[in-house]
Amino acid sequence: MIHQLAAPLSMHIYAMLWSNLIILAHNIVIYVVVLLWFHIAPGWIAVLSIPGIGLVLLNGLWMGLLFGLLSARFRDIPQIIANLVQVVFFVTPIIWQPEMLKGRTMILDWNPFYHLVEIVRSPLLGEPPSTESCGTVRVILACGWGVTLAFYTVYRWRLAYWV
Amino acid sequence: MAWIELRDVAVSSPIYDASGRSLKKALFAGTTGGRIGREGGSGRTSVVKALDGVTVPLAHGDRVGLVGPNGAGKTTLLRVLAGIYEPSRGSIRVTGSVAPLFDIALGMDPDATGYENIFLRGLFLGLTRKQIRARVAEIAEFTELGDFLRLPI
């Protein structure tokens, strides 16, 4: 595809994000069913998860662009990332509660993925996301885009030769 | 008026072997103490000079044929013209739009219908939905497929 047409590279990332968003839309049904079944009303605060998803997507965009570029150059990066994601999945409170980690909050505070999860999840659970999480996500967004744009300025023209 | 101007364009692309493609090897290359264990050929990248010093002015209405043996750089030149390869040296200026045809089935979804694929392909080429809609009838007639365009390709 990249060899055939000079279409914007970000197009591939949009496609990736869009397909994952559709998967999320399928999975969110479970959340709605649980709410109805247990008669839980998170209230209007749940709407805050929509800008949260927006922030996550903007972060996903730079991650996709940056790691897509790096993966084109170094072919072992996709495997390395797959392994890291697995570790991060267990370190991040996805299948466990943050309250279970009393006294060791450093693991949470320094985990960018915790904050990315939190800005979408806590509104869904009826609480506004913490200011630290919102702040951290914005910092990740700014830094991530900074690095990504710097990489693209230097290496973008070479990408077609790498793939 | 559409025109293309290539000025002293050079394209050289690095050819990496398997280890040149490895981040692990790249990271550890500097940390291993001795250089004894280095296999011949690995870690070194050869650079292929596909194009060198190409200067072509192409004006509106020109029809150009490219002739050359395999590996001469015909496709590479076309890719430079299409904006896919950015030249490593020199400059290219294009006025108008380029419609490359390296792969005529590019961007087509075999599960989508012919009409849907007309839209897909049109969008890939940078047309808006409105522009495509205005041309669908003409394209459909050109394909000579008639009602088969309503079926998945």
Side-chain angles (χ1 to χ4, degrees):
Chain A
M1 179 82 217
I2 290 172
H3 270 174
Q4 311 296 338
L5 194 74
L9 293 167
S10 52
M11 189 187 73
H12 305 279
I13 315 296
Y14 297 140
M16 183 268 290
L17 290 175
W18 183 240
S19 67
N20 279 297
L21 201 63
I22 291 171
I23 293 169
L24 174 74
H26 282 88
N27 292 339
I28 204 81
V29 174
I30 300 167
Y31 165 75
V32 178
V33 169
V34 169
L35 284 190
L36 292 174
W37 188 265
F38 291 101
H39 301 288
I40 306 169
W44 282 106
I45 201 90
V47 180
L48 270 182
S49 64
I50 293 168
I53 287 175
L55 276 173
V56 169
L57 286 176
L58 286 175
N59 273 299
L61 191 57
W62 75 256
M63 289 182 197
L65 284 168
L66 180 64
F67 293 112
L69 180 78
L70 294 174
S71 302
R73 174 64 184 79
F74 294 111
R75 285 186 183 163
D76 50 352
I77 285 184
Q79 283 91 324
I80 293 172
I81 289 177
N83 280 322
L84 282 179
V85 164
Q86 203 152 29
V87 175
V88 166
F89 177 79
F90 289 117
V91 175
T92 310
I94 292 166
I95 49 172
W96 49 277
Q97 292 279 320
E99 289 78 39
M100 293 159 86
L101 206 73
K102 280 234 155 59
R104 268 176 275 178
T105 49
M106 205 188 85
I107 297 176
L108 296 178
D109 295 340
W110 289 93
N111 182 351
F113 297 96
Y114 167 64
H115 300 290
L116 285 168
V117 167
E118 206 54 11
I119 57 161
V120 179
R121 184 173 59 183
S122 61
L124 290 178
L125 298 177
E127 273 171 48
S130 68
T131 32
E132 294 95 76
S133 287
C134 293
T136 314
V137 167
R138 290 206 185 98
V139 171
I140 299 167
L141 190 67
C143 296
W145 273 107
V147 173
T148 304
L149 291 176
F151 263 85
Y152 269 78
T153 314
V154 182
Y155 294 113
R156 189 185 60 96
W157 69 276
R158 288 201 215 177
L159 190 94
Y161 301 105
W162 286 342
V163 287
Chain B
M1 272 307 185
W3 52 271
I4 295 175
E5 190 185 16
L6 294 181
R7 193 173 288 157
D8 192 31
V9 164
V11 164
S12 45
S13 54
I15 306 294
Y16 300 104
D17 55 8
S19 60
R21 286 274 196 175
S22 161
L23 176 71
K24 191 196 86 187
K25 291 253 167 100
L27 285 179
F28 289 128
T31 59
T32 36
R35 287 279 173 275
I36 305 161
R38 193 165 211 172
E39 312 120 78
S42 81
R44 233 167 292 159
T45 50
S46 5
V47 175
V48 170
K49 250 194 181 170
L51 299 174
D52 197 9
V54 181
T55 303
V56 200
L58 296 172
H60 184 81
D62 280 356
R63 272 145 204 249
V64 182
L66 286 174
V67 184
N70 287 343
K74 303 184 293 291
T75 312
T76 309
L77 181 58
L78 289 175
R79 290 210 164 121
V80 170
L81 294 177
I84 295 163
Y85 282 165
E86 289 184 35
S88 43
R89 210 187 58 228
S91 66
I92 169 170
R93 287 202 293 164
V94 177
T95 311
S97 65
V98 181
L101 281 173
F102 298 112
D103 178 2
I104 52 166
L106 176 81
M108 294 204 184
D109 182 351
D111 291 328
T113 66
Y115 280 113
E116 286 166 338
N117 272 305
I118 291 174
F119 271 87
L120 266 178
R121 189 56 188 272
L123 290 172
F124 272 127
L125 292 174
L127 297 173
T128 63
R129 278 170 205 279
K130 213 173 166 186
Q131 287 172 314
I132 302 168
R133 218 168 287 136
R135 288 171 209 199
V136 161
E138 194 190 333
I139 296 168
E141 198 178 327
F142 179 75
T143 63
E144 298 177 351
L145 287 172
D147 280 342
F148 285 111
L149 273 175
R150 294 181 199 285
L151 297 175
I153 58 170

